[in-house]
Amino acid sequence: MSQRIYLSSPHLGALERGYVNEAFASNWIAPLGPHVDAFQAEFARCVGAPHALALSSGTAALHLALQLVGVGPGDEVLVSTLTFSASVNPIRYLGARPVFLDSERTSWNMDPNLLSEELEARGWAGRLPRAVIVVHLYGQSANLDPILDVCDRYGVPVVEDAAEALGSTYKGRIPGTLGRVGIYSFNGNKIITTSGGGMLVSHDEVLVQHALKLSTQARDPAPHYQHSEIGYNYRLSNVLAAIGRGQLRVLEDRVAARRRNFAFYEQALAGVPGISFMPEAPWGRHTRWLTTLTIDAAEFGADREAVRLALERENIEARPVWKPMHLQPVFSCFERRGGHVAEELFENGLCLPSGSNLTQEELARVVEVVRAVPRRALRSVH
Ligand SMILES: *Cc1c(COP(=O)(O)O)cnc(C)c1O
């Protein structure tokens, strides 16, 4: 069997090991230290946010973000339905209720018109949500301007889940830095990784200082251990921040490599009936963190699942597009708004291997298997 091709595997650069050795040599093996400070400063500069806080995961960052914009028990939070469960779980940690919004087709992200209608209806009814979480999926920004405008009009804070979108742009600006708080993830499969980790950014220094306090067990400034609120243990290790510093230096290379993967797939599968790639919206740069496409089974001659299984038989990892949150057993009791765009994308959508370390041969292997699926489906019918 040939070597397994993964969906998105870690890709280390030349500098990470040196920084990690430095952490060992200086004995800063703790959830604080000079690499954490430097990683925060370098990350803040990279995305153009005044304040950044390194945390143990993107999920932890979102949990703190929601708490700090005031989400609490019984509140409602509007959130994209087409996303990973980590966008929604922290709403439940806080005892609040998600309301799921459908996607638009230009970017696959939250439909601003739907959000606008929902906020208008809730404004009249006096039932505004405590926050809106907008997710930037698969390396592409949502259409932020209308989303920020309408939320501003109703005084609802926007939390940006940019876990998948580091390196993307929106009208020359950086998704994750445009709402009240933004979060990023450095999980092993993301565009850059610390093995596990996250970042919270905001223009609000007081909010970020409070997030720092909560992330370190909410210690009051006293020499004895004193606490006047409930805290968490959410800080990033100095060792992992060392990895992050090296990774951040090669972010632009990683974006370029993932966009090259996409261009290869797009060209190699051009003209194959029934295959459509996730569009790049006119408002910015899609990093193509994952190359994602939809398959029209009737035109292509086989459905999404047949393609995924054919790839799996060749030891190639591909994944369906995220299963919408309103279809998840754990969230099915919550309300949703909109049509069936997210459901359709899930039904027909597939993510191809997209790592920045894939070789030309590996990409060619993926394409060969995909192209052969309809012929094989035909043979099995006759
Ligand atoms: C990965 C991811 C997260 C969570 O990040 P972790 O660092 O894995 O906790 C949140 N939201 C989305 C959309 C993600 O893809």
Side-chain angles (χ1 to χ4, degrees):
M1 193 101 213
S2 34
Q3 190 138 50
R4 185 158 177 80
I5 300 177
Y6 291 98
L7 188 71
S8 178
S9 72
H11 182 187
L12 293 181
L15 297 172
E16 289 83 343
R17 203 182 291 265
Y19 285 131
V20 170
N21 285 342
E22 208 175 281
F24 273 75
S26 59
N27 202 36
W28 278 104
I29 311 294
L32 79 170
H35 284 307
V36 173
D37 297 341
F39 185 37
Q40 288 174 170
E42 289 159 7
F43 190 90
R45 204 175 317 131
C46 170
V47 299
H51 310 286
L53 179 68
L55 296 162
S56 54
S57 71
T59 311
L62 189 56
H63 186 190
L64 294 178
L66 291 176
Q67 184 172 334
L68 289 170
V69 300
V71 174
D75 288 337
E76 289 184 298
V77 176
L78 306 186
V79 58
S80 321
T81 192
L82 190 68
T83 186
F84 178 47
S85 65
S87 305
V88 180
N89 285 332
I91 300 173
R92 299 296 298 142
Y93 300 166
L94 292 162
R97 295 198 313 271
V99 176
F100 300 115
L101 299 191
D102 202 10
S103 301
E104 41 84 354
R105 292 181 191 276
T106 313
S107 71
W108 296 13
N109 289 310
M110 180 183 284
D111 182 342
N113 294 323
L114 205 53
L115 174 68
S116 191
E117 283 167 23
E118 182 64 15
L119 287 182
E120 194 180 338
R122 285 172 172 271
W124 281 111
R127 279 186 56 211
L128 285 172
R130 186 67 62 186
V132 168
I133 302 174
V134 52
V135 185
H136 307 299
L137 220 53
Y138 294 127
Q140 171 155 269
S141 178
N143 191 6
L144 274 168
D145 275 345
I147 291 173
L148 294 170
D149 280 353
V150 72
C151 288
D152 199 40
R153 198 163 345 123
Y154 287 97
V156 177
V158 172
V159 174
E160 287 181 82
D161 178 349
E164 300 182 1
L166 181 60
S168 68
T169 62
Y170 179 76
K171 301 182 183 175
R173 295 172 288 157
I174 311 281
T177 66
L178 303 173
R180 183 133 153 73
V181 199
I183 72 101
Y184 300 87
S185 166
F186 312 119
N187 193 30
N189 60 353
K190 297 302 200 295
I191 197 158
I192 64 168
T193 183
T194 58
S195 75
M199 194 74 77
L200 177 150
V201 302
S202 180
H203 291 267
D204 183 341
E205 185 176 7
V206 174
L207 185 150
V208 176
Q209 281 306 318
H210 196 173
L212 168 63
K213 182 185 176 196
L214 292 177
S215 71
T216 50
Q217 308 287 20
R219 280 170 60 182
D220 292 339
H224 52 278
Y225 285 77
Q226 177 171 301
H227 308 270
S228 26
E229 58 187 329
I230 300 293
Y232 309 95
N233 182 4
Y234 274 175
R235 277 297 257 167
L236 184 69
S237 157
N238 191 59
V239 181
L240 302 187
I243 300 174
R245 292 185 69 192
Q247 287 274 282
L248 198 55
R249 294 277 286 271
V250 292
L251 173 61
E252 277 301 312
D253 298 342
R254 299 300 183 255
V255 173
R258 288 188 189 248
R259 285 183 62 91
R260 273 199 305 278
N261 292 341
F262 173 81
F264 179 89
Y265 284 132
E266 189 182 42
Q267 196 179 17
L269 295 169
V272 175
I275 289 188
S276 320
F277 288 90
M278 179 180 180
E280 180 170 38
W283 51 71
R285 179 171 78 167
H286 193 324
T287 66
R288 302 295 181 183
W289 169 58
L290 296 186
T291 285
T292 303
L293 49 78
T294 55
I295 295 172
D296 179 321
E299 274 188 49
F300 180 68
D303 64 7
R304 186 281 311 282
E305 203 45 19
V307 178
R308 193 187 68 77
L309 290 170
L311 289 164
E312 192 52 55
R313 274 194 297 275
E314 296 299 323
N315 208 16
I316 298 169
E317 183 187 24
R319 290 286 178 91
V321 161
W322 297 124
K323 180 173 185 173
M325 291 300 112
H326 70 271
L327 298 178
Q328 300 290 349
V330 71
F331 298 131
S332 59
C333 54
F334 298 105
E335 289 178 63
R336 73 183 197 97
R337 298 287 182 271
H340 302 276
V341 177
E343 287 175 14
E344 254 176 60
L345 293 171
F346 165 60
E347 217 42 59
N348 305 319
L350 188 69
C351 306
L352 295 180
S354 302
S356 46
N357 47 6
L358 289 174
T359 64
Q360 212 57 28
E361 292 68 36
E362 288 173 318
L363 291 167
R365 239 178 86 198
V366 175
V367 166
E368 197 186 324
V369 176
V370 172
R371 292 189 73 110
V373 175
R375 289 197 292 279
R376 187 180 306 173
L378 214 59
R379 272 203 308 278
S380 64
V381 169
H382 295 298

